[in-house]
Every structure is written in structure tokens, then in C-alpha cells.
Amino acid sequence: ATVELVQFFDRLAALPRTGWLLRGVVDAESIAEHSFGVCVVAALLVDDLRARGLEVDGERVLRMALVHDAAEAFTGDIPMPAKTEALEQALEDAEVTLLARVLPAKELALWREAEAGETLEARVVKAADKLQMLVKALTYEQQRRGRLDDFWKNTKNRRHMDLDYARELFAEIERLAVIERS
């Protein structure tokens, strides 16, 4: 089962992030590359929370970050503009059913926790998910690989999850984007 689980996650390396493709980014990052970036950002957020005196389970955060987009190995990356409330609900139901077939119970529980976004650890992953995406948008613009106005205009892309450091990082990304885009 371990080999099959690794192969399942390996599918994410071959699947590009659709939002970038829809906006003309050539050679866009894969879902696996995105998940790696989310892990990096999540680790930084964990370090900051600990420096502020908060207790946070860093291992759980990283494990959650690794599985947060696992369902996309089945569904691909469906971009936000295409998601209606009905589609989101149908997708969520399908994802639970499909993931229950391949993920061990522990990983499935972490995926569900990340989806719910209620624990501190899940909030870290949700914030890291959006932070990584906007850093990538900034990087693509700096590399002249596209002008990604939609990403900057969409306020849902600044999901700080009430984490002070996430707020600070979003402000820094915005500052750099304004410089880049002017």
C-alpha cells in the first residue's frame, strides 16, 4: 500500500495548476510544486507562531500541507472562477469518497481537517496556500511570464486566517507587486 500511496501522490507532479494555464503562463507549476511551496510557507508561519509564544503542532501542519490538494490527483485543479456553490459541494462529496479509497485513515483525517480550516494548524495551511499562490503570481510577473491581474484583484486571495505574520506577508507581497507592476 505504501508504494501505491507514493504513486498516487506522484500524479500531482504531472498536473499543472490550471489557474496559471488559463492566464497564459507557459510551463506553469504543478500541483506537487505548489504543495511543496505551501509546506515551505507553512513552516515559516509555524516558526513565527512559536516565536510569538503560541503552541502549534508543526508536524501536523506539514502533513496537512502535503495532503491539502490530494483530491486534485483525481479531479485535476479546478480554478476558483469555475466553482459555483453547487459545484463545490458536489466536488467535496466526490473528493471524500475518492480519497477514502486511497488515503490511510490518518491522512484522510488530516485532509478533512485542512478542508475545514478550523484548527490553528489548518488555518496555517489555508493561509500558506494563498500566500504561496500570490508569491508565485509575483514571481511569474517578475519573470515576465504573464500579467496576472485577476490574482491581485481577488480579495479571497488574501486569506490570512487571523494570523499576524500572514497579514504581514500579504502586505509585503502587495508592496513588491506594486513596484513590479508600475
Side-chain angles (χ1 to χ4, degrees):
T2 301
V3 171
E4 289 85 5
L5 184 62
V6 173
Q7 287 176 319
F8 169 75
F9 276 101
D10 193 52
R11 291 184 200 174
L12 298 174
L15 296 170
R17 298 261 291 165
T18 311
W20 304 129
L21 294 180
L22 291 175
R23 288 159 184 91
V25 173
V26 177
D27 194 27
E29 72 177 334
S30 70
I31 297 167
E33 289 169 314
H34 162 70
S35 293
F36 172 79
V38 172
C39 288
V40 170
V41 175
L44 296 170
L45 292 172
V46 165
D47 289 346
D48 179 75
L49 287 167
R50 288 177 176 161
R52 293 175 194 251
L54 291 160
E55 272 190 45
V56 58
D57 185 337
E59 180 182 349
R60 207 160 102 235
V61 167
L62 290 176
R63 286 178 177 274
M64 236 183 276
L66 284 170
V67 302
H68 85 282
D69 278 338
E72 293 181 9
F74 289 115
T75 64
D77 177 27
I78 298 171
M80 268 185 13
K83 290 182 183 174
T84 62
E85 207 171 298
L87 177 58
E88 286 228 34
Q89 188 57 57
L91 255 180
E92 191 177 310
D93 295 343
E95 289 170 347
V96 171
T97 302
L98 292 166
L99 286 175
R101 294 180 189 166
V102 293
L103 292 185
K106 185 177 175 185
E107 279 73 22
L108 183 60
L110 287 168
W111 178 82
R112 286 177 188 248
E113 183 179 342
E115 284 292 298
E118 294 169 0
T119 63
L120 174 59
E121 289 78 7
R123 288 173 33 228
V124 167
V125 173
K126 288 233 182 247
D129 185 42
K130 293 301 184 185
L131 283 162
Q132 186 279 341
M133 184 188 64
L134 282 182
V135 168
K136 186 54 87 171
L138 175 64
T139 301
Y140 284 150
E141 287 195 342
Q142 289 170 333
Q143 295 171 342
R144 305 293 184 256
R145 290 170 72 182
R147 188 133 170 122
L148 303 163
D149 297 332
D150 299 2
F151 286 87
W152 304 112
K153 289 176 187 168
N154 187 345
T155 55
K156 290 180 182 175
N157 288 338
R158 289 161 193 78
R159 186 173 58 198
H160 54 71
M161 303 303 292
D162 289 324
L163 302 174
D164 290 335
Y165 192 44
R167 281 187 188 95
E168 293 167 22
L169 290 172
F170 279 121
E172 178 67 7
I173 295 165
E174 289 286 333
R175 188 183 68 72
L176 293 169
V178 167
I179 293 168
E180 179 60 36
R181 297 167 66 79
S182 57

